[in-house]
């Protein structure tokens, strides 16, 4: 029995036709643009500079510092950026060394952290959901085509008169 023939329940249909595309879209939209910058910062790449903490925004599970980044060389500045992997002792008005590797919304602490793992996990989940969804669609189309193909009459070995 084919995998697609086991998709009967409405919950499974909702997951396959709505859940997988949503997981793929969210995973890819939130992470693909920041994947390379996160790994670059993890490996010490990017423009070094100083992050000055302005305010801390906290959600249910985590807090993130927003502030200003000023590059060490050239003085390029980015305002209202997030400091990923911020040190625990950071306070409003304090500074921390950071790297700007081109992430959309922020810069990375030079102290290191696990943001690169989170971004990588989101990207892998998005790609896996997209591949699974496309595979299911292709299989469904193939199975429908097979079901509508006319069957050939059986070959007869009887002598014709």
């Amino acid at each position: 029995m084919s995998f697609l023939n086991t998709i009967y329940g409405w919950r499974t249909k909702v997951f396959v036709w709505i859940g997988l595309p949503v997981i793929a879209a969210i995973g890819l939209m939130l992470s693909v643009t920041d994947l390379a910058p996160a790994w670059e910062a993890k490996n010490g790449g990017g423009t070094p500079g100083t992050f000055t903490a302005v305010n801390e925004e906290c959600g249910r599970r985590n807090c993130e510092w927003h502030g200003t980044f000023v590059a060490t060389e050239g003085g390029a500045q980015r305002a209202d950026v997030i400091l990923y992997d911020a040190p625990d002792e950071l306070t409003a008005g304090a500074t921390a060394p950071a790297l700007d590797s081109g992430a959309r919304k922020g810069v990375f602490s030079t102290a290191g952290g696990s943001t690169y793992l989170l971004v990588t996990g989101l990207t892998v989940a998005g790609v896996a959901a997209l591949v699974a969804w496309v595979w299911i669609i292709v299989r469904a189309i193939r199975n429908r085509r097979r079901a509508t193909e006319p069957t050939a009459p059986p070959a007869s070995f009887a002598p014709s008169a």
Side-chain angles (χ1 to χ4, degrees):
M1 180 178 269
S2 166
F3 169 73
L4 292 176
N5 291 338
T6 63
I7 301 178
Y8 289 121
W10 68 269
R11 289 181 192 103
T12 305
K13 288 181 182 179
V14 167
F15 176 73
V16 167
W17 301 111
I18 297 172
L20 283 176
V22 168
I23 291 169
I26 290 172
L28 294 174
M29 285 189 318
L30 294 179
S31 64
V32 165
T33 57
D34 288 341
L35 182 63
W39 277 92
E40 183 180 348
K42 184 229 182 278
N43 293 320
T47 304
T50 304
F51 174 85
T52 304
V54 175
N55 68 316
E56 184 178 31
E57 292 182 12
C58 294
R60 279 196 224 165
R61 298 189 179 159
N62 68 336
C63 296
E64 49 188 36
W65 279 98
H66 292 257
T68 305
F69 173 82
V70 178
T72 304
E73 293 180 20
Q77 186 173 7
R78 286 181 67 184
D80 194 28
V81 294
I82 298 169
L83 178 62
Y84 297 115
D85 304 319
D88 293 336
E89 63 274 359
L90 198 63
T91 59
T95 61
L99 293 169
D100 183 6
S101 56
R104 258 179 320 146
K105 293 184 178 182
V107 295
F108 297 88
S109 173
T110 58
S114 60
T115 298
Y116 72 100
L117 291 175
L118 175 66
V119 172
T120 303
L122 282 172
T123 303
V124 168
V127 169
L130 181 63
V131 167
W133 188 59
V134 169
W135 181 80
I136 289 171
I137 289 173
V138 168
R139 294 284 306 216
I141 291 170
R142 284 183 185 165
N143 285 346
R144 280 199 184 145
R145 286 185 182 164
R146 277 191 212 133
T148 59
E149 288 177 359
T151 57
S156 174
F157 294 107
S160 57

